[in-house]
Amino acid sequence: MVAVKEASVEEKLKALHELQTIDCQIDEINTLRGELPIEVNDLEDEIAGLETRYSKIESEIASLEEEIAVRKNAIKDSEKLIARYKEHQDNVKNSREFDALSKEVEMQTLEMQLSEKKIREAQSAIDSKSEFKEESLARLEDKKKDLEVKKKELEKITKETEKEEKSLQKKSDKAKKAIEDRLSTAYARIRDNYKNGMAVVKVERDSCGGCFSKIPPQKQMEIRQRKKIIVCENCGRILVDDAIDE
């Protein structure tokens, strides 16, 4: 069985620098998209919330309309009963029966008044909710228009950069394979620590290309020799010499 030769430190440094260069190009594409993906997601969430609220208002209005219908039917029933009781009053034989029927008429009259009050309250609630419903609908339509615009912008940028991004991503994946897992994990962790995603930086003007801290001459010489992985003592980025591209 042939032993696989382990990459030298210099080869690892070059692979890391190449990976950083590729990932920077991918980052530029993501920067070009800007906040659009987040804005699209936020708008979709907001629209979903507005649609839920709109449906709830519609359901509440339907419930109130149903209550009004029930109350109107109750009033009709009370009117029929009152008419029947009054008719019976004309044929009663004694005052006790007359008084009993009078009480029934009074009870149904109170029921009608209560139903009329509940109808007015329900109608007032419907008017208020209908106004809110219209406002919600207008806002929903505005947000949908905004989403359409944002989606078109994102789609245009994605279409323009999709081919390049896929190509770069393949190169990035290939470059990662040339780096051992431990180093690849460290690289990813350092990238996550900085907004610009720079984990591997060159020594420029005797300073770290990431945080601009001065690098001692002895350390610079070690970096140029490429015999070991050296990180900036201040920011923790991996340091490479300015001739790494050659």
Side-chain angles (χ1 to χ4, degrees):
M1 187 175 179
V2 180
V4 178
K5 183 185 175 184
E6 186 182 348
S8 66
V9 173
E10 182 173 1
E11 287 170 335
K12 290 176 184 178
L13 286 167
K14 285 188 174 183
L16 279 167
H17 176 65
E18 182 187 3
L19 178 60
Q20 179 69 80
T21 303
I22 295 164
D23 285 345
C24 279
Q25 290 174 288
I26 294 172
D27 290 344
E28 283 176 15
I29 291 173
N30 289 329
T31 300
L32 184 63
R33 290 193 188 121
E35 298 293 319
L36 276 174
I38 296 170
E39 287 175 13
V40 166
N41 286 335
D42 286 347
L43 278 168
E44 286 174 339
D45 289 343
E46 191 173 354
I47 286 168
L50 285 168
E51 285 175 337
T52 301
R53 190 186 305 168
Y54 185 79
S55 297
K56 187 180 177 185
I57 296 168
E58 281 193 318
S59 177
E60 288 171 350
I61 289 173
S63 240
L64 288 164
E65 287 173 341
E66 187 179 341
E67 184 185 347
I68 288 174
V70 169
R71 291 288 180 182
K72 283 182 176 179
N73 286 331
I75 289 172
K76 286 179 182 177
D77 291 340
S78 290
E79 285 173 342
K80 287 177 184 176
L81 286 170
I82 288 170
R84 192 184 306 162
Y85 293 145
K86 284 184 175 180
E87 186 182 339
H88 287 168
Q89 279 179 325
D90 293 335
N91 301 312
V92 294
K93 295 177 180 179
N94 55 59
S95 61
R96 190 172 63 182
E97 286 182 25
F98 187 88
D99 289 343
L101 288 168
S102 293
K103 282 184 179 179
E104 290 295 337
V105 169
E106 186 181 347
M107 285 292 294
Q108 291 304 318
T109 302
L110 289 172
E111 286 293 333
M112 286 172 61
Q113 289 172 351
L114 178 63
S115 289
E116 286 166 353
K117 180 188 175 188
K118 292 293 183 183
I119 287 172
R120 287 194 298 273
E121 288 173 352
Q123 189 58 57
S124 176
I126 287 173
D127 293 342
S128 176
K129 287 181 185 293
S130 295
E131 188 178 340
F132 187 49
K133 176 185 167 185
E134 291 306 312
E135 289 173 2
S136 296
L137 181 60
R139 190 176 174 191
L140 180 60
E141 293 303 319
D142 285 343
K143 292 297 176 184
K144 281 183 176 179
K145 286 175 185 175
D146 289 345
L147 178 61
E148 190 178 348
V149 170
K150 296 291 183 185
K151 273 187 170 180
K152 282 181 179 177
E153 285 179 28
L154 182 58
E155 191 178 318
K156 183 183 176 185
I157 294 171
T158 301
K159 194 173 181 181
E160 289 171 352
T161 59
E162 187 176 21
K163 189 175 178 181
E164 182 185 1
E165 187 177 12
K166 281 182 179 178
S167 173
L168 287 168
Q169 194 57 59
K170 282 182 181 178
K171 288 179 182 178
S172 178
D173 293 340
K174 185 179 177 182
K176 282 175 187 172
K177 287 178 183 177
I179 303 166
E180 61 194 79
D181 290 344
R182 179 184 60 81
L183 205 52
S184 180
T185 301
Y187 166 81
R189 187 181 65 251
I190 298 168
R191 253 176 75 77
D192 287 342
N193 286 340
Y194 297 101
K195 273 188 176 181
N196 62 5
M198 293 300 293
V200 181
V201 295
K202 291 181 180 179
V203 175
E204 299 171 342
R205 296 180 182 177
D206 303 328
S207 302
C208 167
C211 67
F212 312 112
S213 295
K214 283 291 181 182
I215 308 295
Q218 177 62 32
K219 188 74 72 177
Q220 289 186 52
M221 186 178 72
E222 290 175 6
I223 292 166
R224 284 194 295 272
Q225 288 174 345
R226 303 174 193 167
K227 296 280 180 72
K228 59 182 178 179
I229 306 292
I230 297 174
V231 299
C232 174
E233 292 179 0
N234 184 60
C235 68
R237 291 180 173 94
I238 298 166
L239 297 168
V240 293
D241 60 281
D242 59 2
I244 194 78
D245 296 316
E246 296 173 5

